[in-house]
């Protein structure tokens, strides 16, 4: 296709090459990554005397409801960092184990009976 001999549009004097590129959607600054949210997305696997467990950290910002910790029986109020735990080697399958997951205080999870890790 032949090039056009038409002169290019005149840009205002205040506009620079960087200013033109900054207006392009692909030249926009990348959003800042929230590392806390990135870390909590995937559960960690733990081996203990009482089985294989998946443990996911819930940040204070993401804790939005009241939960009862099975370790101490206390309520975990909204805004408190805690753990969500489910058993990986459940006899009834993974779906049932995930449905039966529990919210624990991090300390209660560490000191629970049968937590001698086999890793």
């Amino acid at each position: 296709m032949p090039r056009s001999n038409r002169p290019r549009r005149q840009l205002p004097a205040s506009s620079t090459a960087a200013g033109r590129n900054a207006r392009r959607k692909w030249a926009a600054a990348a959003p800042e990554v929230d590392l806390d949210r990135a870390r909590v997305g995937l559960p960690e696997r733990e081996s203990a005397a009482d089985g294989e467990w998946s443990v996911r950290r819930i940040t204070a910002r993401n804790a939005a409801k009241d939960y009862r910790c099975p370790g101490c029986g206390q309520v975990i109020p909204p805004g408190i960092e805690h753990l969500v735990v489910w058993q990986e080697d459940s006899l009834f399958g993974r779906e049932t184990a995930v449905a039966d997951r529990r919210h624990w205080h991090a300390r209660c999870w560490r000191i629970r009976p049968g937590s001698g890790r086999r890793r």
Side-chain angles (χ1 to χ4, degrees):
M1 181 139 192
R3 298 177 103 198
S4 173
N5 289 330
R6 202 168 7 133
R8 291 186 178 203
R9 177 174 55 116
Q10 292 294 324
L11 294 174
S14 63
S15 176
T16 63
R20 284 193 310 256
N21 288 337
R23 287 190 297 253
R24 294 183 183 159
K25 67 178 179 181
W26 55 85
E32 191 172 320
V33 175
D34 184 355
L35 293 178
D36 286 337
R37 290 192 74 164
R39 284 188 203 117
V40 300
L42 297 173
E44 296 177 9
R45 289 188 64 124
E46 290 187 12
S47 294
D50 57 351
E52 294 285 326
W53 298 89
S54 285
V55 180
R56 185 178 353 186
R57 169 174 264 115
I58 303 297
T59 62
R61 185 171 69 180
N62 292 339
K65 292 173 39 181
D66 284 333
Y67 298 101
R68 186 158 306 272
C69 175
C72 64
Q74 299 291 320
V75 172
I76 304 172
I80 300 295
E81 184 172 314
H82 62 279
L83 305 173
V84 175
V85 180
W86 64 92
Q87 195 165 13
E88 280 294 325
D89 55 356
S90 173
L91 294 174
F92 301 110
R94 182 165 164 64
E95 292 81 22
T96 304
V98 171
D100 290 338
R101 66 190 180 270
R102 296 290 174 251
H103 294 253
W104 290 71
H105 292 108
R107 184 174 188 287
C108 294
W109 177 249
R110 273 194 321 270
I111 65 170
R112 79 187 189 286
S115 66
R117 293 184 183 173
R118 295 182 299 194
R119 252 193 229 190

